[in-house]
Each structure stands twice: as structure tokens, then as C-alpha cells.
Amino acid sequence: MTHEIQEQMANLPALLPDALANKEDIRDILKRFLNALNCGEIRSAEPDGDGGWRANMWIKQGILLCFKVGELVDMS
């Protein structure tokens, strides 16, 4: 499933020009992306083998895309 999410996230920028028309499709993909991130199925960073960490750039881009396309929700 990780590969499927990564592939869908890679294709999202092509959908952005039509984001207003396809908002539900994009939100569905982003919801699955965030669920996988929250469940630990995908990780924003991984050990690099030398005692440090390496960021997964596609996940970083996905998180930034969530800010661009997502909706603000009052959490107060």
C-alpha cells in the first residue's frame, strides 16, 4: 500500500490545476496519505544507517500539499 500512496501523491501535482473541480478526489488521496502517516505505515524520516536521519522528500512534499489543498478546521 505504501507504493500505491507514493504513486498517487506523485500524480497529485498534475491534478492541481483542476483542484477546484476535483477537490473530493484530491482530499480522498490526501486523507489516505495522512492516515498512513499517522498509523506509521509511511514515515517522514528514516534512519540513514550512520546514526542520523534521512527525510523522505515525497512525504515532505505531501505534507506541504496538504496545507495547500486542505481545509482549515477550528480545533478550539
Side-chain angles (χ1 to χ4, degrees), residues 15-76:
L15 297 175
L16 287 182
D18 297 326
L20 295 177
N22 298 320
K23 236 178 187 172
E24 291 305 314
D25 293 338
I26 291 171
R27 284 194 185 133
D28 183 52
I29 293 169
L30 291 177
K31 183 188 276 187
R32 285 184 275 154
F33 168 77
L34 290 174
N35 284 338
L37 190 59
N38 286 331
C39 292
E41 185 177 325
I42 57 176
R43 298 182 65 174
S44 58
E46 296 178 8
D48 65 6
D50 294 325
W53 291 82
R54 173 182 49 85
N56 288 323
M57 294 308 293
W58 73 272
I59 295 177
K60 179 182 174 182
Q61 291 170 343
I63 292 168
L64 293 173
L65 189 59
C66 288
F67 284 108
K68 186 174 186 176
V69 177
E71 290 183 4
L72 295 177
V73 177
D74 184 3
M75 301 295 281
S76 57

